[in-house]
């Protein structure tokens, strides 16, 4: 099964700064999704980008997808302390809705 | 919105006992639900795909007899960890696909299982 690799594994920034997380995957996909997880909680869907899309925005989030490089990035602009969480990319391929998750980036936004 | 409820959120049990975790889609029908396992500070590992009215599809390396999955209705899937051992201690998370919306999955809050 394909596995997304994310980097960095951990990221610590100051409030107001931008945070960029990267995700790489191995095989062709239908779409790539980003999720957020607060410690000990479930996952919250942030954004979905289809394989024929290159960039997508949602509020302070900007996601890019480069299918030739099999990579995606998530940019959070003007970060806030409340953005502190783990962020996972997940890919869907084939006909089902099975999601394969990346290794995750732990983001800490300090005041 | 789409809400998935998972219960219990925390459970402690003795070795050898069985534990059942429920996953309910509260405001939508879910033909397909997924069960994941997550180790501390690690990614989510898909255990199985739960299909309403039929047998679950297990991922390679996941013991079917150990992790029993039942999806008896369009809003409920259960995961039973049988004859639990300390190594089964983990965070189990379910997710559901809203049948009318492809792609996005909705996750429960997870269940923390501790086997003594």
């Amino acid at each position: 099964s394909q596995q997304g690799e994310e980097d960095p594994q951990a990221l610590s920034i100051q409030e107001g700064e931008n945070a960029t997380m990267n995700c790489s995957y191995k095989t062709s996909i239908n779409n790539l999704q980003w999720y957020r997880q607060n410690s000990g909680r479930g996952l919250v869907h942030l954004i979905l980008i289809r394989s024929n899309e290159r960039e997508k925005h949602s509020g302070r989030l900007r996601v890019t997808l480069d299918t030739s490089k099999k990579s995606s990035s998530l940019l959070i602009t003007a970060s806030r302390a409340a953005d502190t969480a783990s962020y996972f990319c997940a890919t869907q391929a084939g006909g089902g809705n099975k999601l394969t998750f990346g290794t995750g980036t732990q983001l800490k936004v300090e005041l | 919105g789409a809400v998935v409820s998972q219960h219990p959120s925390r459970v402690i049990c003795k070795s050898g006992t069985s534990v059942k975790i429920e996953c309910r889609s509260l405001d939508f029908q879910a033909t397909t639900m997924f069960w994941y396992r997550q180790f501390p500070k690690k990614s989510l590992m898909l255990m199985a795909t739960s299909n309403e009215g039929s047998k679950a599809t297990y991922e390679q390396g996941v013991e079917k007899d150990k992790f029993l999955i039942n999806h008896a209705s369009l809003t409920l899937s259960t995961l039973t960890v049988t004859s639990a051992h300390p190594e089964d201690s983990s965070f189990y998370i379910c997710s559901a696909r809203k049948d009318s919306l492809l792609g996005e999955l909705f996750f429960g809050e997870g269940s923390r299982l501790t086997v003594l």
Side-chain angles (χ1 to χ4, degrees):
Chain A
S1 61
Q2 63 184 15
Q3 174 76 40
E5 295 289 329
E6 293 183 59
D7 80 274
Q9 288 187 337
L11 179 60
S12 183
I13 59 175
Q14 297 294 312
E15 200 170 47
E17 294 180 338
N18 295 341
T20 300
M21 291 159 262
N22 302 296
C23 167
S24 61
Y25 56 92
K26 296 178 182 176
T27 62
S28 297
I29 60 173
N30 291 336
N31 64 71
L32 185 144
Q33 302 176 36
W34 285 89
Y35 286 82
R36 167 195 169 128
Q37 183 183 35
N38 284 15
S39 182
R41 305 293 296 275
L43 277 73
V44 174
H45 181 266
L46 295 176
I47 197 166
L48 180 153
I49 187 166
R50 301 187 190 284
S51 60
N52 60 353
E53 297 177 309
R54 292 295 168 259
E55 187 171 312
K56 206 162 185 180
H57 296 255
S58 177
R60 292 185 296 113
L61 306 180
R62 172 178 168 250
V63 168
T64 62
L65 178 65
D66 187 335
T67 52
S68 65
K69 294 181 179 178
K70 293 186 170 55
S71 68
S72 174
S73 68
L74 170 67
L75 168 68
I76 304 175
T77 60
S79 64
R80 305 166 182 167
D83 294 329
T84 295
S86 291
Y87 292 82
F88 293 91
C89 68
T91 54
Q92 275 187 334
N97 273 281
K98 189 165 70 173
L99 277 179
T100 302
F101 281 84
T103 50
T105 294
Q106 291 186 39
L107 173 65
K108 184 175 182 181
V109 181
E110 300 185 79
L111 294 171
Chain B
V3 179
V4 174
S5 173
Q6 199 171 330
H7 177 81
S9 57
R10 292 178 184 274
V11 57
I12 301 173
C13 70
K14 294 181 180 179
S15 287
T17 61
S18 294
V19 174
K20 180 185 284 188
I21 301 170
E22 293 187 347
C23 180
R24 292 180 185 273
S25 56
L26 297 186
D27 52 357
F28 66 99
Q29 293 185 335
T31 307
T32 304
M33 291 185 176
F34 301 91
W35 286 96
Y36 291 85
R37 182 174 181 176
Q38 186 179 33
F39 292 101
K41 297 187 178 181
K42 296 292 185 181
S43 186
L44 281 76
M45 182 191 78
L46 179 64
M47 299 175 66
T49 302
S50 174
N51 304 298
E52 188 269 334
S54 64
K55 292 183 179 180
T57 304
Y58 289 81
E59 295 298 302
Q60 193 172 10
V62 178
E63 298 177 61
K64 300 178 183 182
D65 296 331
K66 175 74 173 175
F67 300 100
L68 300 179
I69 291 172
N70 184 274
H71 194 152
S73 77
L74 286 171
T75 59
L76 174 64
S77 175
T78 60
L79 168 68
T80 301
V81 182
T82 63
S83 188
H85 289 277
E87 56 264 32
D88 298 326
S89 298
S90 193
F91 193 56
Y92 294 89
I93 309 177
C94 72
S95 68
R97 190 199 85 179
K98 204 172 182 179
D99 282 348
S100 60
L101 185 65
L102 294 178
E104 180 180 349
L105 293 182
F106 300 91
F107 283 79
E109 283 294 293
S111 299
R112 172 79 57 195
L113 170 62
T114 302
V115 184
L116 302 176

